[in-house]
Amino acid sequence: MSKTIAGFSKLSKSKKIEWIANTYFENAENAKTVLKQYWNDNEKLQQLHDEFIENTISNYYLPLGVAPNFLINNKLYAIPMAIEESSVVAAASKAAKFWLDRGGFKTTVISSTKIGQVHFMFKGDSKNLDLFFKAIKSKLISDAKPITKNMEARGGGILDIELRDKTTDIEDYYQLHVSFETLDAMGANFINSCLEHFAKTFKHEALQFKSFSEEEKHIEIVMSILSNYVPNCLVRAEVSCNVEDLTENKTISGKAFAEKFVRAVNIAEIEPYRAVTHNKGIMNGIDAVVLATGNDFRAVEAGVHAYAAKNGKYSSLSHAKIENGIFTFWMEIPLALGTVGGLTGLHPLVKLALELLHKPSAKELMQIVAVAGLAQNFAALRSLTTTGIQQGHMKMHLMNILNQFEATDAEKVILVEHFANNPVSHSAVVDAINNLRKE
Ligand code: MEV
């Protein structure tokens, strides 16, 4: 049977499933059963999910968890997190509780500017291009009014347009580099629509610009697109306390723990192999909240990692210091998020997650998300520099191993109790299940 098909997107959902199941699976009936298991009985809800993307054949579930007790700028939050990794929500909850007793998290939004660019080629005298840009700049903005007027009425819109000469990198290459304030919207559609409009006006007006030569009149637009690099859409999150208050663990003093913690952060600051894993731990918290609130985690990931390399070498996003007996741990991170538009008003669980967070503005959500990242990083570093990561991680992973072996509820109760006082490893769990089943 051919494994290619024309017009797949035009088939009905059941025909698509039929074709996929028959073409790619040994047991087509089983594949169909698995796909159908994840459908929602509520037809309207299912249709909503079907229509989010093209060629939907089922729903892909992730657990939605909650990490309570987050005190952020003296306001309490229970943070929703959508993630599959066993220990993330537990770690966030632990860090939240730990800092709840030490004044909580302090956050500020440093800036909220987003960027988009029209990339174009211009053959000719750059001074003439500069004259043209100066002459046309206000028209670029006024022509885009139908797109910008609602955003402007709310206090946002286009902040500035710059002409950038990039001809030292690529011959004849220039940009319109545009900054935007998109308020509570992530703004991707708004920005891209504005940019495409600028591009059209720019190209059209160039044809009529008297000071241009015939060749100069023919500007080639390469593309118009927002940038996911948002170093000026920045939020800061911080925790601090006296070093003596830093430990609950009787085996290590607060001071010794603080010093070891700072050392671990210093290592991530100078060593890219460690920095990537360190930052991955931060993203465990960030992505989970970004996903639960219906935001674009790929955009956030791309922007955050670019920011981590902004000085030419990939480095830690978070920093820590001890000064005058005070331990401070903080992070500045770029986050382009929205609390209106996109999935936020559509996906029932996203709406619920935003309500749980007191219906935040985009700026408030930036602060909550940054806190989730810092908390996650704190929890990981605390484990890494004291007990090691595996103890807590494997405890949380135990249930996955038990489920892999189809343990019954009764078996789970016995084995969870057993592993409360015994180290969890894959082989230890397998042995314990086998022994139990022999009995
Ligand atoms: C695992 O998902 C994340 C950690 O590796 C982060 C870190 O090493 O800091 C534990």
Side-chain angles (χ1 to χ4, degrees), residues 85 274 277-278 280-281 284 380 384 389:
E85 190 172 326
R274 173 57 201 149
T277 318
H278 177 100
K280 187 273 184 188
N284 277 344
L384 286 167
I389 204 77

Side-chain angles (χ1 to χ4, degrees), residues 300-319:
V300 167
E301 281 279 345
V304 166
H305 293 295
Y307 187 77
K310 68 181 187 307
N311 295 328
K313 181 175 168 188
Y314 191 92
S315 177
S316 167
L317 291 159
S318 63
H319 308 281

Side-chain angles (χ1 to χ4, degrees), residues 69 107 152 335:
N69 298 321
T107 57
E152 279 172 8
L335 290 170

Side-chain angles (χ1 to χ4, degrees), residues 196-228:
E196 289 188 3
H197 209 84
F198 297 154
K200 224 191 260 166
T201 308
F202 201 65
K203 190 171 168 58
H204 181 77
E205 292 295 322
L207 288 170
Q208 293 158 38
F209 191 59
K210 299 252 172 356
S211 313
F212 272 164
S213 69
E214 220 23 63
E215 190 178 37
E216 285 173 336
K217 281 184 178 167
H218 295 277
I219 285 174
E220 184 202 338
I221 304 291
V222 180
M223 59 190 159
S224 310
I225 188 73
L226 93 167
S227 171
N228 291 123

Side-chain angles (χ1 to χ4, degrees), residues 83 85 87-88 274-282 284 376-381 383-384 389-390 393:
I83 189 157
E85 190 172 326
S87 50
V88 169
R274 173 57 201 149
V276 172
T277 318
H278 177 100
N279 291 346
K280 187 273 184 188
I282 293 173
N284 277 344
Q376 207 63 43
N377 194 209
F378 178 79
L381 290 174
S383 298
L384 286 167
I389 204 77
Q390 281 310 83
H393 190 77

Side-chain angles (χ1 to χ4, degrees), residues 129-245:
L129 181 64
D130 209 39
L131 279 178
F132 169 63
F133 174 68
K134 286 198 176 105
I136 193 79
K137 184 171 171 181
S138 60
K139 187 167 173 51
L140 288 176
I141 295 173
S142 60
D143 267 17
K145 275 276 180 264
I147 305 169
T148 56
K149 66 176 188 302
N150 286 345
M151 187 65 88
E152 279 172 8
R154 295 200 299 272
I158 301 157
L159 300 178
D160 195 16
I161 310 180
E162 283 170 54
L163 172 68
R164 291 196 171 176
D165 183 336
K166 306 294 281 184
T167 53
T168 48
D169 296 319
I170 298 179
E171 199 183 353
D172 302 333
Y173 168 42
Y174 296 83
Q175 301 167 342
L176 295 179
H177 184 92
V178 191
S179 46
F180 297 89
E181 169 56 63
T182 62
L183 306 170
D184 286 337
M186 191 269 190
N189 285 330
F190 172 75
I191 292 174
N192 289 336
S193 299
C194 287
L195 294 171
E196 289 188 3
H197 209 84
F198 297 154
K200 224 191 260 166
T201 308
F202 201 65
K203 190 171 168 58
H204 181 77
E205 292 295 322
L207 288 170
Q208 293 158 38
F209 191 59
K210 299 252 172 356
S211 313
F212 272 164
S213 69
E214 220 23 63
E215 190 178 37
E216 285 173 336
K217 281 184 178 167
H218 295 277
I219 285 174
E220 184 202 338
I221 304 291
V222 180
M223 59 190 159
S224 310
I225 188 73
L226 93 167
S227 171
N228 291 123
Y229 186 46
V230 283
N232 292 317
C233 188
L234 208 60
V235 57
R236 179 188 166 95
E238 178 184 309
V239 283
S240 67
C241 69
N242 287 325
V243 283
E244 304 89 65
D245 297 338

